[in-house]
Amino acid sequence: MSNVVAIGYGNDLRSDDGIGQRVAHALDFKNVKSLAVHQLTPELADTLASADLAIFIDACVASESTEVQVKPLSPEFSNVIAGHTADPRSLLALTQALYGYCPPAWWVIVPGENFAIGDRLSEFAETGVAIALEKITQIISQDYR
């Protein structure tokens, strides 16, 4: 059986910044290990090292893009892990360096419009969450039948 790891990250106390965690909580597939985390940390490399596929889910400001984006990811050492946080590319690079392997990976980026203190998503973000769940379902079913 395929082993998929989905990591939704962001601050769930900053309204739409919690999109990634919301998506991770909503994923319900038997072959998907879904993690909702505040930030990407080096410790996640251990989990990624045993995955067949990784999906990272994060929010972006709607001015950067108004549509849910899905991008392939590759390890990239140029993105230094600052302190205890990382971005997906540097986390994949760390996984590669430590374990000699990193899984194929996708980055699902969902736009939000309200990043103020709060624990609720905007309607705009809720729509993006639904679209992200559809896109993740497509990724999983496309790569793993």
Side-chain angles (χ1 to χ4, degrees):
M1 175 182 274
S2 300
N3 178 23
V4 180
V5 174
I7 304 172
Y9 60 100
N11 187 342
D12 59 350
L13 297 177
R14 300 283 303 187
S15 302
D16 291 354
D17 196 42
I19 288 170
Q21 288 199 44
R22 177 74 63 88
V23 172
H25 285 299
L27 288 172
D28 186 24
F29 296 94
K30 66 179 177 180
N31 66 327
V32 176
K33 179 177 185 173
S34 182
L35 304 171
V37 298
H38 183 75
Q39 58 193 7
L40 299 178
T41 60
E43 292 80 6
L44 292 168
D46 184 55
T47 301
L48 291 170
S50 61
D52 297 316
L53 175 70
I55 302 170
F56 295 89
I57 309 109
D58 193 17
C60 71
V61 179
S63 63
E64 294 173 19
S65 175
T66 58
E67 295 186 14
V68 175
Q69 302 171 62
V70 178
K71 301 177 180 182
L73 283 171
S74 299
E76 202 171 290
F77 286 104
S78 63
N79 296 317
V80 177
I81 296 176
H84 202 67
T85 62
D87 79 357
R89 294 172 296 242
S90 61
L91 188 54
L92 290 170
L94 178 64
T95 304
Q96 179 71 45
L98 293 175
Y99 298 95
Y101 166 80
C102 77
W106 293 93
W107 201 356
V108 178
I109 305 167
V110 184
E113 59 186 9
N114 177 18
F115 291 82
I117 293 174
D119 62 355
R120 299 191 191 286
L121 299 183
S122 66
E123 279 188 45
F124 182 75
E126 290 284 3
T127 300
V129 165
I131 293 167
L133 288 167
E134 290 175 13
K135 291 184 180 281
I136 291 168
T137 300
Q138 290 172 353
I139 292 168
I140 292 169
S141 63
Q142 182 178 31
D143 290 347
Y144 297 95
R145 289 198 174 201

